[in-house]
Amino acid sequence: MSRTLYLTEELIARPSVTPDDQGCQQLIAQRLRALGFVCEFVCRGEGAAQVTNLWAKRPGRSAATLVFAGHTDVVPTGPLEQWRSPPFVPSHRDGKLFGRGASDMKASLAAMLVALEEFLAEQPEPALSLAWLLTSDEEGPATDGTVAVCELLQQRQERLDFCIVGEPTSVERSGDMIKNGRRGSMNGKLTIHGQQGHIAYPHLARNPVHLAAAALAELVDTVWDQGNAFFPPTSWQVSNMHAGTGASNVIPGALVIDFNFRFCTESSPEQLQQRVNAILQAHQLDYTLQWNISGLPFLTPPGTLVDAVCAAIAAETGVQTQLSTSGGTSDGRFIAKICPQVIELGPPNATIHQINEHVCIADLEPLKAIYKKTLQLLDAQVAT
């Protein structure tokens, strides 16, 4: 059994359902201390709601810093009876390792740590400064996790230059896709106000569903932007609609619509909010609208980090990786505020959050090798 596989199993065996870390970070910190890292735990909340965060740093000969980032928490298992084997008992079947968190993202954490150990064994005094940032609040509200550590680092004026987040980004095999950015996400809760009444006397009421129909059609048909070379066009989608009391003879007094923007760097939250308000006002609606921005878009164009990761993937696997900004949000959105170059790289993501989540064992060592080669390439560049 490889060291990467063994450590992945050790981490899976800890039932770290968000936000309970279950000692995963202590296990990692113990091995980081042996490599010369200074480890600091930043905890938020109390009792069962406590979030555990780890910040670890090892100075190099230069100030240029590479951060490995990720999360030790996992989503709930779902119905246990639907799992072919217990979700927190690492199990092997058909060349795959099964367990909750296998691909999201305990395999990445294990591969990162073993890669780091091998790199430092060969290069004990690297030019590159090294750091780790871990949280147990990525799969939850994400309010006391990476964002809290980033705010602390910003206050300390910590310098971060490169960051690799271990999110499962690959499709068929480790390294065939990396995320060099993510779209922003903004939610809106729109309430269209009408007047409740008896359905047989519509002239005595104002039906908010009827009133909103034309405006909704325009919002659906609106082209918000054209996207760009790295991002698809901004999209607007309704996620929920509710009106009425449940009675079939009552005109509702209000219509509540939940919607979401997934937006690229071509549109700002302020621009999107202004355009939505303009459409609603043009239709003379009586409405209230609440906004919540859960993440801003970020992008790392080809350059030092992207080039090093692409070269490492090609050298270790022969794969020409694909750059992508697709998918949901990640903690990279917080790190990008204090680090100019952020990418995400991990194993295939086909079974994340699913019953019987698993990772192919054959993907583990190539992933570790990619991380190690990236360390070598960045260290050589920083040293020159």
Side-chain angles (χ1 to χ4, degrees):
M1 183 182 295
S2 74
R3 294 171 63 233
T4 308
L5 176 57
Y6 185 81
L7 179 54
T8 303
E9 293 189 352
E10 279 192 285
L11 293 170
I12 291 173
R14 296 171 183 259
S16 55
V17 177
T18 188
D20 188 357
D21 173 68
Q22 282 286 311
C24 291
Q25 292 177 30
Q26 287 286 359
L27 173 63
I28 293 171
Q30 182 180 5
R31 292 173 68 155
L32 289 175
R33 290 190 186 100
L35 298 174
F37 282 77
V38 176
C39 297
E40 175 185 2
F41 286 93
V42 182
C43 297
R44 296 284 190 274
E46 297 180 355
Q50 186 178 72
V51 171
T52 305
N53 303 302
L54 172 64
W55 169 250
K57 182 79 179 286
R58 185 187 193 276
R61 300 197 313 274
S62 80
T65 302
L66 167 67
V67 182
F68 283 119
H71 60 90
T72 53
D73 59 326
V74 299
V75 296
T77 62
L80 293 175
E81 65 274 11
Q82 294 184 22
W83 284 76
R84 289 185 59 193
S85 52
F88 297 111
V89 177
S91 304
H92 293 216
R93 293 191 298 276
D94 304 320
K96 301 169 184 175
L97 173 62
F98 287 79
R100 174 57 84 224
S103 54
D104 188 16
M105 56 177 287
K106 292 182 174 180
S108 294
L109 297 180
M112 286 174 169
L113 185 51
V114 174
L116 189 61
E117 290 172 336
E118 292 183 2
F119 168 71
L120 289 173
E122 297 172 7
Q123 179 58 275
E125 298 297 332
L128 197 62
S129 293
L130 300 165
W132 275 65
L133 198 171
L134 298 177
T135 184
S136 68
D137 184 36
E138 198 273 347
E139 300 290 9
T143 55
D144 293 315
T146 299
V147 63
V149 179
C150 287
E151 289 171 355
L152 179 63
L153 296 176
Q154 193 169 29
Q155 292 170 10
R156 295 177 181 176
Q157 297 183 329
E158 284 269 7
R159 172 177 170 174
L160 307 180
D161 298 272
F162 316 109
C163 179
I164 300 175
V165 185
E167 287 294 336
T169 60
S170 301
V171 181
E172 299 293 338
R173 56 184 292 194
S174 288
D176 62 4
M177 178 179 288
I178 65 174
K179 307 290 186 181
N180 66 320
R182 293 278 190 168
R183 294 174 296 174
S185 178
M186 180 168 63
N187 297 303
K189 181 177 284 293
L190 171 64
T191 302
I192 308 295
H193 303 288
Q195 182 174 334
Q196 184 173 311
H198 196 291
I199 208 159
Y201 301 96
H203 59 288
L204 299 177
R206 288 187 300 115
N207 192 321
V209 178
H210 296 184
L211 295 172
L216 285 177
E218 184 172 347
L219 288 166
V220 169
D221 291 337
T222 296
V223 177
W224 305 97
D225 57 49
Q226 299 294 333
N228 55 37
F230 296 101
F231 288 98
T234 291
S235 69
W236 181 87
Q237 291 290 317
V238 171
S239 57
N240 190 42
M241 295 180 68
H242 176 76
T245 63
S248 61
N249 61 349
V250 177
I251 291 173
L255 169 66
V256 180
I257 302 167
D258 295 316
F259 62 84
N260 175 267
F261 275 108
R262 290 301 165 106
F263 61 102
C264 70
T265 51
E266 296 297 309
S267 294
S268 70
E270 294 76 17
Q271 290 170 332
L272 296 172
Q273 291 176 17
Q274 289 170 5
R275 293 182 66 184
V276 170
N277 279 303
I279 290 171
L280 297 174
Q281 290 165 12
H283 288 271
Q284 300 181 332
L285 295 174
D286 179 11
Y287 71 93
T288 55
L289 180 53
Q290 298 172 314
W291 296 98
N292 177 52
I293 302 171
S294 54
L296 295 173
F298 72 91
L299 177 69
T300 301
T304 304
L305 180 58
V306 169
D307 292 352
V309 172
C310 291
I313 292 169
E316 297 299 329
T317 69
V319 171
Q320 299 300 311
T321 193
Q322 178 182 351
L323 301 181
S324 173
T325 60
S326 63
T329 59
S330 76
D331 278 359
R333 68 191 189 273
F334 304 127
I335 301 168
K337 294 181 180 180
I338 62 171
C339 182
Q341 299 186 55
V342 179
I343 67 100
E344 300 171 23
L345 166 63
N349 55 24
T351 65
I352 61 173
H353 293 202
Q354 294 185 14
I355 301 292
N356 296 316
E357 178 183 352
H358 60 265
V359 63
C360 289
I361 295 172
D363 278 311
L364 297 180
E365 286 307 298
L367 184 61
K368 181 265 294 182
I370 292 167
Y371 290 142
K372 180 180 176 182
K373 187 66 174 180
T374 301
L375 281 164
Q376 294 170 336
L377 293 174
L378 286 177
D379 186 59
Q381 182 148 345
V382 169
T384 57

